[in-house]
Amino acid sequence: MTTSPTSQDDKPVAPLSLGILISGRGSNMKAIYGAIQDGEINAHIAVVVSDNPESEGLAWAAANGLKTASFSRQAFAKKSDFETAILKTLADHGVDWVVLAGYMRLVGKTLLTPYQGRMVNIHPSLLPAFPGLHAQAQALAYGVKVSGCTVHLVDNTMDGGPIIAQEVVPVLPEDTVASLSDRILSVEHVLFSRVLKVISQGF
Ligand code: GAR
């Protein structure tokens, strides 16, 4: 017998409609897709949007039957126009929650305001340490002995906003940026799905 997900008060919860924003490889998106397929997250991916038409993740999403859209920032005079185009796509697909899965741009108020409190990001450090680009290289350069990843609600600052969950990984003496990034990434894949599972249960 299969059971429908229920909320705290035992009412059935409708599947979340996710809009996933990516810029590159899309391994977090793939992990989320897998967790949905496995019935772990009560959601469907309504659309995958990229700011990079050439991104590997976008091609994978299309090849796997997901709806996709891409918008080059360069094609728009103003950031607000660029974000209005993304917003329209999200609205057209009935997106409830926006998932930033390696979306490497600061979200502006045009996109943030309608989704404030319903937009989550993952970042490969223990925020507030090492926001922005090359978080793993920043961690190595600083000499920290542990790092990790953070899932947080998005505000109008770079990798800022209320923290939902974090996971720690060790930084080993022999680590390179590649080895540390790989160790953090495998933990990201688990943590992001765990957070989305809880959100999708209506908490
Ligand atoms: C991930 O490590 C994610 O945490 C990071 O980009 C990578 C994307 O990988 N995001 C940020 O640094 C956001 N500031 P993926 O495309 O394979 O999911």
Side-chain angles (χ1 to χ4, degrees):
M1 189 181 90
T2 56
T3 53
S4 304
T6 54
S7 66
Q8 264 170 320
D9 53 7
D10 269 354
K11 295 212 179 83
V13 179
L16 277 190
S17 178
L18 302 179
I20 301 189
L21 269 55
I22 62 170
S23 295
R25 176 179 54 188
S27 72
N28 276 288
M29 171 199 66
K30 291 181 196 173
I32 292 163
Y33 176 87
I36 292 172
Q37 298 288 96
D38 292 347
E40 192 194 327
I41 304 172
N42 178 32
H44 74 279
I45 299 175
V47 64
V48 175
V49 179
S50 182
D51 62 336
N52 171 13
E54 306 301 321
S55 61
E56 187 187 325
L58 197 68
W60 183 91
N64 282 273
L66 298 175
K67 303 248 174 63
T68 61
S70 65
F71 301 96
S72 289
R73 171 66 185 86
Q74 294 77 4
F76 299 85
K78 291 188 292 182
K79 180 168 178 166
S80 57
D81 295 339
F82 165 71
E83 292 199 336
T84 296
I86 294 177
L87 196 58
K88 182 174 182 318
T89 299
L90 298 175
D92 286 349
H93 290 85
V95 167
D96 303 319
W97 277 75
V98 176
V99 177
L100 306 185
Y103 180 69
M104 305 307 275
R105 282 179 190 277
L106 181 64
V107 175
K109 78 170 186 286
T110 304
L111 185 52
L112 179 61
T113 303
Y115 281 105
Q116 185 115 42
R118 293 183 296 131
M119 183 183 285
V120 283
N121 179 46
I122 190 155
H123 184 73
S125 75
L126 296 174
L127 291 169
F130 315 129
L133 294 176
H134 312 304
Q136 305 91 336
Q138 293 184 57
L140 280 180
Y142 203 93
V144 293
K145 303 303 176 207
V146 294
S147 189
C149 56
T150 304
V151 177
H152 63 96
L153 288 171
V154 175
D155 70 12
N156 60 353
T157 62
M158 181 62 76
D159 298 312
I163 289 172
I164 301 172
Q166 292 185 308
E167 195 73 43
V168 175
V169 305
V171 179
L172 305 178
E174 64 274 20
D175 263 335
T176 60
V177 172
S179 65
L180 179 59
S181 299
D182 285 351
R183 190 175 311 116
I184 295 173
L185 192 65
S186 59
V187 174
E188 287 184 45
H189 294 163
V190 178
L191 187 70
F192 217 174
S193 290
R194 201 189 305 151
V195 167
L196 290 169
K197 172 182 178 168
V198 172
I199 292 172
S200 75
Q201 288 170 329
F203 289 97

